[in-house]
Amino acid sequence: MAGGGNAIRGSRVGAGPMGEAERGEAAPRKAVTYFCAREHRSVVTFAVEATAPDSWDCPKCGLPASLDCDNPPPAPKIEPYKTHLAYVKERRTDAEAEVILDEAIQLLRSRRKSGDIIF
């Protein structure tokens, strides 16, 4: 039977968070502000040596955000779900589909005549 209690497994009494002395000095940082089309303002912290990207996904709404508060990037165009048939129709014309269908039917008929069993 295990002992009860609220202690976190693997911790000891008196164990506190590690301070700066144990971890070392934190790297110098800079705050960069991004703006999305829904007028959200997101502040992201980077190391001073790092180059901040031009765009960042807004953590509040998920839209792309940029450094320019006056011209945030537009929301991406969301295309509706397409079926497999819709993609096929984009690649093939009706005439091409007729030719392919005729070839497939002829192949099936030739297999039936020769006695091949098709599963």
Side-chain angles (χ1 to χ4, degrees):
M1 184 173 252
N6 293 333
I8 297 174
R9 186 179 189 131
S11 67
R12 62 182 172 76
V13 175
M18 291 175 49
E20 289 287 326
E22 290 89 11
R23 282 187 287 163
E25 293 295 320
R29 301 181 183 274
K30 64 180 175 184
V32 179
T33 305
Y34 291 93
F35 304 91
C36 76
R38 292 193 179 153
E39 298 180 0
H40 294 138
R41 181 176 167 255
S42 305
V43 179
V44 183
T45 306
F46 295 98
V48 172
E49 305 88 38
T51 303
D54 293 333
S55 65
W56 192 266
D57 289 341
C58 176
K60 294 177 182 132
C61 64
L63 292 177
S66 71
L67 300 169
D68 186 2
C69 65
D70 296 327
N71 297 311
K77 181 181 175 187
I78 299 173
E79 295 187 21
Y81 172 78
K82 290 184 184 178
T83 64
H84 176 71
L85 181 60
Y87 283 109
V88 171
K89 286 182 176 182
E90 285 181 359
R91 294 191 314 265
R92 307 241 191 258
T93 64
D94 289 341
E96 291 172 327
E98 288 286 334
V99 171
I100 293 171
L101 180 61
D102 288 340
E103 290 174 359
I105 290 172
Q106 288 175 6
L107 179 64
L108 286 173
R109 288 180 179 157
S110 69
R111 286 185 181 169
R112 283 190 182 158
K113 287 181 185 174
S114 68
D116 291 343
I117 300 174
I118 301 171
F119 291 101

